[in-house]
Amino acid sequence: GQSGRERVTEDNGSNGSDSELKVEKDGASDGESKVDPGVPEVPAPADDTPEVLNKALSGLSSRWKNWWVRGILTLAMISFFFLIIYLGPMVLMMIVLCVQIKCFQEIITIGYSVYHSYHLPWFRTLSWYFLLCVNYFFYGETVTDSFFALVQREEPLRILSKYHRIISFALYLTGFCMFVLSLVKKHYRLQFYMFGWTHVTLLIVVTQSHLIIHNLFEGMIWFIVPISCVICNDIMAYMFGFFFGRTPLIKLSPKKTWEGFIGGLFSTIVFGIMLSYVMAGCRYFVCPVEFNTNSNSFQVECEPSELFQLQDYALPSVLESVTGWTTVRLYPFQIHSIALSSFASIMGPFGGFFASGFKRAFKIKDFANTIPGHGGIMDRFDCQYLMATFVNVYIASFIRGPNPSKVIQQLLALRVDQQLHIFNSLKAHLTEKGLLPALQEATA
């Protein structure tokens, strides 16, 4: 490293000593110490644009060169997205896990770039350990909930499922104790700051990726349409802003314009309705992902719910006078897609603004240089995580109902006396409602 003493000062607006965080590194006399009044800059990643593209676009201005690089890499990423959709839901889950790990690594690396220079122990090790603990907890909950029959059939999985939460807590408690033992005198505040950094990163990245997988289990359409709407909004807002942008939208992102924001909104709503129409008619996309105990494999076969069956809707008189149609035939899911695409266009960008503020705080342009012209993986998924939470809440509030197959699986796992008690209670309830005699006559 550098000679001399490095000092980081965190100013919260007051002149007292309590408002400053000073971390010093020995190596020279006090007269040679240097004060950095701002947050330490993270070294900017080098340009990682492929040499082939650099040569092919060498005659263009930087603005148009960036446009072409972003466009070519965007098409490549969309092609890869189509490929993993073709490979099925399990591959999609693995990709979500890989993206989660890469996003976590990019954010933690920024913290480590500041933290490493002070030679404080275990930060990166503990960060990855906590990532492992949190993933074990969330994925264990998902497996227990979604693959209950498989878990009950395999003895090791049944034991892990039964004691899953106490195991998860014990793992986290181990990491917590390791952190306490790693505390170093005179650096307590910085260490707790980085402890909070790790946990906020886990909250933003791991929790949201877990919700994405939950959405996927409801049917691939709940995964593909929201993600595609965010991608469409990102592309169309960039295109409208690039060619027509004049009015700045927000100071955090000077390149964002009102023209791009509005153009992206309307384009995404139209795109969402069209994509939903195409996908809602295919069982592969609309059926929940379930484990078939007979074939010992995951399947996406079902009888589509009313949400994915065409229905006639009466048009308002205004639209009727314009189009000449009295009714229009749509999938109910297309109505829901308007809410999804509207959120992707209006609220989704705030995930990007949040990321822009974060990067400005550390004086960096991108989280990494993984994708030339786009930055890091986190730069591409900053809006997706906010979208994942909305979709999960939307499904729980307006779509999801009791799942009969899961209820039956749980009933079959009970003791015989418990099953008989539930049977008698259900029989008494149906008799009281007057439904049981009718059912008996129907079967007779």
Side-chain angles (χ1 to χ4, degrees):
Q2 300 173 344
S3 63
R5 174 181 298 171
E6 296 178 358
R7 176 176 298 180
V8 179
T9 304
E10 180 179 271
D11 187 4
N12 64 3
S14 67
N15 296 324
S17 59
D18 289 340
S19 67
E20 297 182 345
L21 170 63
K22 299 178 180 179
V23 180
E24 298 183 349
K25 180 179 178 181
D26 295 333
S29 64
D30 291 341
E32 296 174 350
S33 42
K34 183 178 180 180
V35 177
D36 180 5
V39 176
E41 291 190 38
V42 178
D47 182 16
D48 200 29
T49 306
E51 190 62 29
V52 176
L53 288 179
N54 277 328
K55 290 182 179 180
L57 305 174
S58 58
L60 299 177
S61 65
S62 60
R63 182 170 182 262
W64 279 101
K65 178 182 176 182
N66 182 64
W67 190 89
W68 278 104
V69 170
R70 286 176 65 95
I72 293 171
L73 269 298
T74 297
L75 291 176
M77 288 187 289
I78 292 174
S79 301
F80 178 70
F81 185 56
F82 285 141
L83 175 62
I84 61 175
I85 290 173
Y86 172 77
L87 294 175
M90 298 310 297
V91 176
L92 279 173
M93 294 177 203
M94 293 300 103
I95 294 296
V96 170
L97 177 61
C98 293
V99 168
Q100 173 217 113
I101 293 173
K102 187 64 175 72
C103 290
F104 182 83
Q105 181 266 332
E106 290 177 357
I107 298 177
I108 289 299
T109 298
I110 295 174
Y112 186 70
S113 298
V114 178
Y115 188 81
H116 176 67
S117 60
Y118 308 131
H119 301 291
L120 298 178
W122 294 8
F123 165 60
R124 192 156 60 177
T125 302
L126 283 174
S127 296
W128 287 101
Y129 177 80
F130 282 126
L131 175 67
L132 176 66
C133 293
V134 175
N135 270 312
Y136 175 80
F137 172 74
F138 279 128
Y139 277 87
E141 293 284 312
T142 299
V143 169
T144 301
D145 181 58
S146 302
F147 309 125
F148 185 81
L150 174 64
V151 170
Q152 292 299 315
R153 192 178 62 184
E154 302 293 335
E155 185 64 18
L157 290 178
R158 190 180 65 81
I159 295 173
L160 287 174
S161 172
K162 182 177 181 180
Y163 301 106
H164 172 69
R165 296 196 175 186
I166 189 65
I167 294 173
S168 301
F169 179 71
L171 290 172
Y172 178 83
L173 196 61
T174 302
F176 180 81
C177 294
M178 290 169 62
F179 167 74
V180 173
L181 293 174
S182 72
L183 291 173
V184 178
K185 190 176 181 180
K186 295 184 180 179
H187 299 306
Y188 292 147
R189 186 182 297 184
L190 181 60
Q191 287 185 281
F192 277 102
Y193 165 70
M194 299 314 299
F195 183 78
W197 179 295
T198 300
H199 281 68
V200 171
T201 304
L202 290 172
L203 176 65
I204 294 174
V205 176
V206 182
T207 305
Q208 308 306 316
S209 64
H210 171 70
L211 295 180
I212 290 176
I213 291 178
H214 259 248
N215 300 340
L216 180 58
F217 278 115
E218 296 293 331
M220 291 177 64
I221 195 169
W222 291 104
F223 173 87
I224 296 172
V225 169
I227 285 183
S228 299
C229 284
V230 173
I231 294 173
C232 174
N233 180 254
D234 191 39
I235 293 173
M236 298 310 297
Y238 177 78
M239 297 290 288
F240 275 91
F242 186 87
F243 290 106
F244 309 109
R246 296 292 183 273
T247 312
L249 177 62
I250 187 171
K251 291 182 179 180
L252 278 174
S253 295
K255 293 183 180 180
K256 298 289 193 300
T257 63
W258 275 104
E259 290 81 4
F261 182 80
I262 296 172
L265 169 63
F266 287 103
S267 301
T268 304
I269 291 175
V270 173
F271 171 80
I273 294 174
M274 295 173 61
L275 179 64
S276 299
Y277 182 83
V278 173
M279 297 186 66
C282 181
R283 295 189 180 187
Y284 178 72
F285 294 120
V286 303
C287 290
V289 179
E290 295 180 343
F291 182 78
N292 190 321
T293 55
N294 297 323
S295 61
N296 289 326
S297 62
F298 297 100
Q299 65 178 20
V300 284
E301 297 179 2
C302 68
E303 186 64 32
S305 65
E306 294 183 357
L307 196 63
F308 304 106
Q309 295 178 10
L310 285 170
Q311 297 182 19
D312 291 323
Y313 291 91
L315 286 177
S317 56
V318 177
L319 293 178
E320 183 179 342
S321 61
V322 174
T323 62
W325 302 337
T326 56
T327 61
V328 62
R329 196 164 177 78
L330 297 172
Y331 292 102
F333 181 80
Q334 289 180 272
I335 309 298
H336 294 289
S337 75
I338 297 176
L340 299 179
S341 54
S342 297
F343 184 90
S345 303
I346 298 173
M347 301 305 300
F350 278 86
F353 300 151
F354 178 86
S356 295
F358 180 89
K359 289 183 285 187
R360 281 178 172 270
F362 291 93
K363 304 175 184 177
I364 56 176
K365 181 182 178 183
D366 299 311
F367 283 95
N369 60 346
T370 309
I371 310 171
H374 292 267
I377 298 295
M378 189 64 198
D379 290 287
R380 293 300 88 210
F381 283 84
D382 48 10
C383 300
Q384 297 287 3
Y385 288 124
L386 195 61
M387 187 70 190
T389 305
F390 172 73
V391 174
N392 191 268
V393 171
Y394 190 88
I395 292 174
S397 302
F398 304 110
I399 306 298
R400 184 189 295 131
N403 189 327
S405 63
K406 287 186 179 181
V407 173
I408 292 174
Q409 288 176 357
Q410 292 172 348
L411 288 176
L412 294 177
L414 298 175
R415 299 192 311 268
V416 175
D417 60 316
Q418 293 174 325
Q419 293 178 1
L420 287 173
H421 175 71
I422 293 175
F423 170 76
N424 291 326
S425 299
L426 183 60
K427 180 180 178 181
H429 174 74
L430 293 176
T431 302
E432 182 182 348
K433 292 287 187 180
L435 298 174
L436 194 58
L439 290 175
Q440 291 176 339
E441 291 175 6
T443 54

